[in-house]
Amino acid sequence: MNTTKFLFLHKQITGWQRWLSKCLLLLASLFIISMQPAFAGLNNDLYDGNIFVVYAGNGSLVPPRQTLAQALAEHKPIFLAFYLDDSSDSKRYAISISRVQEFYGRVAEIMPISVDAIPLKQTYDPTEAGYYYSGAVPQVVVFNKSGEVVLNKKGQVPFEEIDDEFRKIFDLVPRTETAQLKRRAFNEFSSELAK
């Protein structure tokens, strides 16, 4: 008799488990079907993560090593770049900011500033990044050693224009040939980083 009860209970549990497993399988299938694919895209305004890691292969740019006030107090030349991680224009410009660091990162303070990180205030001091932000991304501001703004432009400012300002600041000879910067394919980033 006990054996019969046990077999009867076992069949009930098995039927209940079977029904539950079918429901879970159906829910999992619906979940998988309804998921949107995650694509990192250079030409969309979706958040893909740190744009300097994803699109420039250079995660060392953020956060900046110093604040603007510290760099101004040390009389360093400064390259301030305003960006947004979810802006296609900023994504395309990330490689140019990385290129500026490549050439001038040891002698100037390279400071990419996320616009989202600027605190909202009525007024800013000239030692705060928000003082120089004009409402567009990307925006580039270059300071000389005296803390004077020598370049303040919105949009895709060519590397050569920034380079010209730094050449004046550091008293370097003018560039005789201008090599146009070209965006490398993503695979070239990957293979270069793997070295």
Side-chain angles (χ1 to χ4, degrees):
M1 179 89 171
N2 287 338
T3 314
T4 311
K5 272 186 179 179
F6 180 73
L7 287 174
F8 179 73
L9 287 175
H10 182 67
K11 286 183 180 180
Q12 282 183 338
I13 292 173
T14 304
W16 178 76
Q17 286 177 339
R18 196 173 293 154
W19 179 81
L20 182 63
S21 65
K22 287 179 182 180
C23 288
L24 289 175
L25 183 63
L26 178 65
L27 284 173
S29 300
L30 289 173
F31 179 71
I32 290 171
I33 291 171
S34 67
M35 285 178 50
Q36 295 293 324
F39 293 112
L42 186 63
N43 297 317
N44 63 35
D45 290 334
L46 300 175
Y47 177 75
D48 301 325
N50 181 330
I51 62 172
F52 299 105
V53 173
V54 177
Y55 299 107
N58 185 356
S60 70
L61 284 166
V62 286
R65 293 178 297 196
Q66 293 184 320
T67 65
L68 182 58
Q70 291 169 332
L72 287 169
E74 292 181 9
H75 302 289
K76 285 185 171 180
I78 302 165
F79 173 75
L80 195 64
F82 294 100
Y83 73 95
L84 280 170
D85 280 319
D86 57 355
S87 162
S88 59
D89 292 332
S90 294
K91 291 175 185 180
R92 284 191 294 276
Y93 197 63
I95 189 70
S96 296
I97 296 171
S98 183
R99 182 59 57 95
V100 171
Q101 185 199 32
E102 180 183 336
F103 286 101
Y104 296 105
R106 293 180 187 256
V107 292
E109 193 63 36
I110 311 300
M111 301 179 69
I113 304 291
S114 174
V115 173
D116 291 335
I118 299 173
L120 294 175
K121 295 166 56 173
Q122 291 290 10
T123 59
Y124 297 94
D125 290 333
T127 58
E128 296 177 299
Y131 184 83
Y132 302 96
Y133 179 60
S134 62
V137 290
Q139 179 188 345
V140 170
V141 182
V142 177
F143 298 82
N144 63 15
K145 294 177 184 178
S146 304
E148 299 166 344
V149 174
V150 293
L151 178 68
N152 187 351
K153 284 194 147 184
K154 299 176 194 173
Q156 306 280 332
V157 181
F159 171 79
E160 293 79 16
E161 199 169 332
I162 298 163
D163 183 47
D164 288 342
E165 291 302 325
F166 274 120
R167 285 176 181 272
K168 291 175 193 172
I169 291 169
F170 293 114
D171 197 27
L172 299 172
V173 294
R175 192 177 347 94
T176 55
E177 286 185 25
T178 304
Q180 193 73 347
L181 291 179
K182 293 182 183 175
R183 174 164 293 288
R184 293 180 279 180
F186 187 73
N187 290 342
E188 288 176 294
F189 283 125
S190 302
S191 64
E192 194 170 300
L193 293 174
K195 291 179 184 178

